[in-house]
Amino acid sequence: MQTGELKPFTLRIYTKPSCPLCSSLEKKLLGIFDRSAFLASPISAGSLEAVDITSRPGLQERLELQVPVLTYRAAEGEEAEEVRLPHPSPRLTADGLEKFLVKSLHAVQ
């Protein structure tokens, strides 16, 4: 795993109800972020935000068949652009997902 520090960021997961892939990914992400509060991790620099696309009609139309979707946004500056991250394999373990995230986040920072 890359050990370089990440700048503060927000990781957003777009989900919808009755989506097993969404639930599984969100559960793994919550575990990763909870663990990062106690153990040193590059993920510690970030926060996680879940967005239900059914609560926002424009998002629902655009992302209906694509969820779960992960995006990155730098915490600095209100005009920071939201960048879509690659879709992780649903077969990744929590540790594998964390490694995937760190690699993906380093690539966009």
Side-chain angles (χ1 to χ4, degrees), residues 38-77:
F38 299 101
L39 299 173
S41 166
I43 299 295
S44 301
S47 62
L48 180 64
E49 179 182 320
V51 178
D52 178 355
I53 65 166
T54 62
S55 66
R56 300 182 186 172
L59 282 178
Q60 186 170 1
E61 291 172 14
R62 199 175 66 206
L63 300 176
E64 179 74 31
L65 300 176
Q66 300 174 40
V67 292
V69 172
L70 290 175
T71 63
Y72 158 88
R73 184 179 177 137
E76 300 170 8

Side-chain angles (χ1 to χ4, degrees), residues 2-83:
Q2 291 178 306
T3 56
E5 292 295 316
L6 291 169
K7 297 174 187 170
F9 66 92
T10 300
L11 183 70
R12 189 174 285 165
I13 177 172
Y14 290 94
T15 67
K16 65 180 179 180
S18 302
C19 171
L21 291 175
C22 299
S23 301
S24 175
L25 181 57
E26 187 174 5
K27 183 178 177 180
K28 289 176 190 175
L29 289 171
L30 288 169
I32 290 167
F33 276 85
D34 286 348
R35 182 173 60 191
S36 75
F38 299 101
L39 299 173
S41 166
I43 299 295
S44 301
S47 62
L48 180 64
E49 179 182 320
V51 178
D52 178 355
I53 65 166
T54 62
S55 66
R56 300 182 186 172
L59 282 178
Q60 186 170 1
E61 291 172 14
R62 199 175 66 206
L63 300 176
E64 179 74 31
L65 300 176
Q66 300 174 40
V67 292
V69 172
L70 290 175
T71 63
Y72 158 88
R73 184 179 177 137
E76 300 170 8
E78 294 195 23
E79 296 178 22
E81 183 180 335
E82 190 171 18
V83 178

